[in-house]
């Protein structure tokens, strides 16, 4: 009788282990703020060592905003005489010194926008790179045109293969996306972000394998704050995540915030529109950080615009 009982117990335990293994199979690694921690696949020792070494040497990616200005100022065919100073330049004070010197050599004046409005006669043309100025310039009856820059489409197409493209919206990221732009973005893994979702939070994790192959591993938008966590080794759509990811997106009415942390380090510019971080899965490093203020424009932060009155200057 005791032998039969032991055999029955063994069978019950075996069935229990089979059920546990079945439930763990393909367990999703996405953690929202209210979820429990997932079970993670073991990473090998070499990968763990390389990740720690990369984390120690990794520093936030900073992009010099003045390179396109220098190209423009050195182009004698474009009379860039008045430039509106951007508050975003404050992070690049050392680079600004060289830019200011070049402006002086080319007789270009750099002015704050508040100073500009105090002038008795507004200038016929001004140049700027901060999309936040667009509304004020339109209110002053200026027209705005692109001078030099890259679109969000171009940024995504330039990403190297075997990279994660992480998107997080702050405030709003939809109102400049017309039907043409939406169609092009859908080919690059951005499907849900449309004008109908004004001031929604939005997160997208896109895996680029080879040229023209973009797979959205996780995409979500909501009027509520989004908080997504993934651990290294988590699996989404048969893709193994190669770094710890902590992503937050909140629209204007749900927190107005963007955060993209990779292995605990913050990379999001946390500015209005789509905040973008490109992570090279082969080198285990952040390759690029961008922002496109898609509330008003489809172009990146280094884009230069010209605001002009109805009468254009002869050189343009």
């Amino acid at each position: 009788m005791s032998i039969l009982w032991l055999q029955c117990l063994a069978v019950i335990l075996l069935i229990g282990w089979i059920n546990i293994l079945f439930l763990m199979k393909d367990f999703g690694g996405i953690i929202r703020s209210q979820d429990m921690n997932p079970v993670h696949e073991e990473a090998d020792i070499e990968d763990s060592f390389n990740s720690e070494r990369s984390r120690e040497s990794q520093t936030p990616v900073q992009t010099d905003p003045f390179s396109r200005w220098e190209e423009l100022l050195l182009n004698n065919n474009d009379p860039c005489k008045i430039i509106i100073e951007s508050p975003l330049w404050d992070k690049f004070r050392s680079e600004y010194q060289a830019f200011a010197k070049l402006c002086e050599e080319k007789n270009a004046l750099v002015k704050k926008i508040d100073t500009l409005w105090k002038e008795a006669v507004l200038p016929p043309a001004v140049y700027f790179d901060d999309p936040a100025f667009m509304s004020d310039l339109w209110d002053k009856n200026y027209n705005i045109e692109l001078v030099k820059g890259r679109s969000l489409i171009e940024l995504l197409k330039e990403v190297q293969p075997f990279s994660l493209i992480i998107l997080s919206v702050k405030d709003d990221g939809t109102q400049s996306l017309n039907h043409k732009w939406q169609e092009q973005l859908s080919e690059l893994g951005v499907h849900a972000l449309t004008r109908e979702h004004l001031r929604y939070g939005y997160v997208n994790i896109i895996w680029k394998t080879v040229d023209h192959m973009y797979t959205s591993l996780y995409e979500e938008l909501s009027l509520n704050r989004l908080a997504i966590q993934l651990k290294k080794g988590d699996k989404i759509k048969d893709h193994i995540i190669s770094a710890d990811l902590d992503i937050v997106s909140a629209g204007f009415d749900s927190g107005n915030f963007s955060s993209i942390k990779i292995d605990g380090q913050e990379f999001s510019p946390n500015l209005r529109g789509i905040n973008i971080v490109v992570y090279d899965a082969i080198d285990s490093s952040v390759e690029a950080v961008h922002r496109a203020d898609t509330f008003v424009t489809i172009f990146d932060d280094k884009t230069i615009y010209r605001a002009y009155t109805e009468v254009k200057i002869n050189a343009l």
Side-chain angles (χ1 to χ4, degrees):
M1 189 71 177
S2 60
I3 295 175
L4 180 61
W5 183 85
L6 289 174
Q7 290 175 337
C8 292
L9 181 61
V11 170
I12 292 170
L13 289 173
L14 178 61
I15 293 173
W17 276 111
I18 291 173
N19 287 334
I20 291 172
L21 291 173
F22 178 80
L23 290 172
M24 290 175 62
K25 184 180 180 181
D26 294 329
F27 186 87
I30 298 170
I31 315 172
R32 294 187 180 87
S33 56
Q34 70 272 23
D35 292 341
M36 297 176 62
N37 291 330
V39 177
H40 307 301
E41 296 181 12
E42 288 188 13
D44 58 49
I45 295 175
E46 182 178 354
D47 285 346
S48 177
F49 171 77
N50 289 336
S51 175
E52 290 300 320
R53 183 174 59 184
S54 173
R55 188 182 309 177
E56 292 173 357
S57 62
Q58 198 174 63
T59 56
V61 176
Q62 299 288 339
T63 305
D64 181 358
F66 303 114
S67 57
R68 289 181 192 164
W69 282 112
E70 292 166 358
E71 294 173 10
L72 182 65
L73 289 166
L74 293 172
N75 179 7
N76 294 324
N77 295 325
D78 199 322
C80 180
K81 295 304 180 185
I82 299 179
I83 299 171
I84 302 178
E85 180 179 333
S86 170
L88 302 178
W89 296 352
D90 290 342
K91 298 178 182 179
F92 305 91
R93 300 317 299 179
S94 58
E95 292 87 351
Y96 178 80
Q97 299 304 318
F99 167 69
K101 183 178 180 180
L102 181 60
C103 288
E104 184 178 356
E105 293 173 358
K106 296 296 180 179
N107 297 317
L109 299 176
V110 179
K111 297 185 177 183
K112 294 182 181 295
I113 194 166
D114 292 341
T115 303
L116 196 66
W117 300 151
K118 294 176 182 178
E119 296 182 1
V121 178
L122 294 178
V126 293
Y127 291 74
F128 66 98
D129 65 2
D130 189 344
F133 297 147
M134 287 184 174
S135 295
D136 288 340
L137 289 163
W138 281 323
D139 288 343
K140 298 293 183 181
N141 297 317
Y142 279 94
N143 300 301
I144 297 174
E145 65 182 4
L146 176 72
V147 175
K148 191 177 187 65
R150 290 182 301 170
S151 71
L152 175 59
I153 307 297
E154 291 171 311
L155 290 177
L156 297 180
K157 286 184 176 180
E158 290 172 3
V159 172
Q160 294 300 309
F162 307 108
S163 296
L164 284 175
I165 306 168
I166 305 166
L167 311 181
S168 167
V169 164
K170 174 182 177 177
D171 189 331
D172 176 74
T174 66
Q175 294 307 289
S176 69
L177 303 181
N178 59 31
H179 185 67
K180 180 189 75 172
W181 290 119
Q182 290 172 14
E183 284 187 339
Q184 294 184 55
L185 285 171
S186 68
E187 297 174 357
L188 303 173
V190 180
H191 305 290
L193 200 62
T194 63
R195 279 182 172 177
E196 293 75 22
H197 300 105
L198 173 65
R199 290 179 169 172
Y200 274 55
Y202 176 78
V203 169
N204 199 343
I205 303 171
I206 301 169
W207 173 239
K208 180 176 182 180
T209 50
V210 295
D211 288 343
H212 312 301
M213 290 190 65
Y214 297 77
T215 301
S216 177
L217 303 177
Y218 179 85
E219 184 180 30
E220 185 175 4
L221 53 78
S222 175
L223 277 172
N224 299 318
R225 176 181 180 273
L226 295 172
I228 311 302
Q229 293 180 346
L230 291 166
K231 294 297 184 180
K232 179 178 179 180
D234 287 345
K235 181 187 290 186
I236 314 178
K237 295 184 179 179
D238 296 325
H239 176 82
I240 304 298
I241 299 298
S242 54
D244 292 347
L245 304 179
D246 191 346
I247 309 164
V248 178
S249 172
F252 182 81
D253 296 320
S254 61
N256 200 22
F257 181 72
S258 168
S259 173
I260 302 173
K261 292 181 180 179
I262 299 179
D263 289 334
Q265 187 168 356
E266 181 65 76
F267 288 96
S268 174
N270 189 29
L271 296 170
R272 185 178 68 181
I274 302 177
N275 296 271
I276 307 163
V277 176
V278 178
Y279 180 79
D280 188 323
I282 295 178
D283 293 338
S284 299
S285 63
V286 171
E287 291 300 306
V289 173
H290 305 286
R291 192 274 300 230
D293 185 0
T294 44
F295 180 70
V296 291
T297 182
I298 195 67
F299 294 92
D300 76 336
D301 264 352
K302 292 174 67 179
T303 296
I304 298 173
Y305 306 89
R306 188 170 74 94
Y308 63 94
T309 53
E310 288 297 329
V311 178
K312 289 191 175 184
I313 52 181
N314 294 330
L316 292 177

